[in-house]
Amino acid sequence: MNIVLAASEAFPFCKTGGLADVVGALTQDFSRTRGTKVLLFLPRYRNIKNASSLRTVPGVFYIPVGSRLEPAQISYLKWGNALVFFVESNKYFDRPELYFTKHGDYADNDERFMFFSRAVLEACKFIGFRPDIIHAHDWQAGLLPAYLKTVYKTDAFFTRTRCMFTIHNIAYQGYFGRDSFVKAGFFEPDFTPDKFEYWGGISYLKTGIVFADKVNTVSPTYAQELLRGQNSFGLEGVLRHKGADFLGIINGIDGEVWDPQTDTMIPMGYDDESLKGKALCKAELQKLCGLPQNPDIPLCVMVSRLAYQKGVDLLPDLIRAMEGKMQFIIEGKGDPNAEHILGELAARYPSSFAFRAVVDEILAHKIYAGGDMFLMPSRFEPCGLSQMISMRYGTLPVVSKVGGLADTVKGYEGDMTAELKTGFFINEMSVNGLINALNIVLSVYCKKRVWKAMLVNAMAEDFSWENSSRQYMKCFNEILRRRF
């Protein structure tokens, strides 16, 4: 089976969030499946990492954008059993950030990603790779399924090609005006509510849902929430119309990248039988962040994009209320106002709260290993990776009971069930709800036997990609068997 993955980011090449981790892991997992050839397509951003061995494919091809033809080139590298291709355009991708700067989104994001989506198809033709499956991810690749079913419908090169579309977060829809539909080169009669039209314009995410052969999101509970209209941002009807072709497949984590026994980014490795290394990781993290090195005080950590979805507006009052009872360390960037407020709080409470307004992979590893508990007060969470990573590192998650968090965390209900549980649920999304949840956590933290039982159980959880990858491959085979 020839598989093409198309996404706007993938670890370890370019990353702003969990999308990159998922796409990178899936690429590697698919490529290890017998009988597959896997290509990953990414934009060639200015700051691509791990690309020292890039080779350029000779030649230039052209992508229609409105009335213009924009030149495109591709370069590639071998990554395990997969090939990673980068779509090159100085005009669209040679920029300091992937999607936006502190001044807001790039004004031409519509053109940037219509160019990318169509360039993926033209690049396949350019190198002579006929995909059986194109697996497109999030709104940035949402036009790919539509191009296949409309503009390239009569192109013999793609006669057997089918498309799966994955929604990582439905809140980000890539909505643009009607002129973007025109620039993309689609056909005017298709600008209807059942196809492209969405509130007078075009949503790249909705387009991907409508035209893909199969659609999934990244956890079963999140899929059900979306069908019920819970944080579905107006797209529940479109998803219901897909019927059995919409499903939830839980994400996994890369067990080689996230392994406390072999992690070279933390001060000392450890496992669930020997936790001496975890105690050292906590002490070193406290020291690194300027907090008192007290092994007995609970350390609550968080690595997150700073956004309303993630409950960051509740954190200042929570930190004030819990001051003196526990320490907090937060790493993340996002809402400038949230960054400012958290920075001020860190200056006011230097002995109990440290804040780092960065996206730093090495620091993140240290935080996952050094914390006692990991906070995720999300208002909605498609899947979440942090709770899985934190469990692998023996840092018990404290999470809202939504989406993938509900699917992956077994919430504590009392001492009698501790050996079966892996974390704690926040039962009310409010400051008081968070305070109540953390007070329960503190009451358990004092019971060392119970806490260790939960910690060991959390570290034993299996969040590998093997099962998820099998479900994706099953979907691929289902849609390839269909006759059109």
Side-chain angles (χ1 to χ4, degrees), residues 447-461:
K447 303 171 183 176
K448 297 303 180 184
R449 182 192 61 80
V450 177
W451 187 266
K452 185 175 180 181
M454 292 182 66
L455 184 154
V456 170
N457 199 44
M459 293 184 73
E461 290 286 275

Side-chain angles (χ1 to χ4, degrees), residues 15 24 88 127 133 243 340 367 423:
K15 174 178 176 177
E88 299 190 10
I127 62 175
I133 293 291
H340 176 72
I367 289 174

Side-chain angles (χ1 to χ4, degrees), residues 297-316:
I297 191 167
L299 176 56
C300 183
V301 297
M302 189 172 179
V303 178
S304 177
R305 177 170 46 84
L306 301 183
Y308 179 78
Q309 173 205 337
K310 304 292 186 178
V312 298
D313 54 302
L314 305 177
L315 296 179

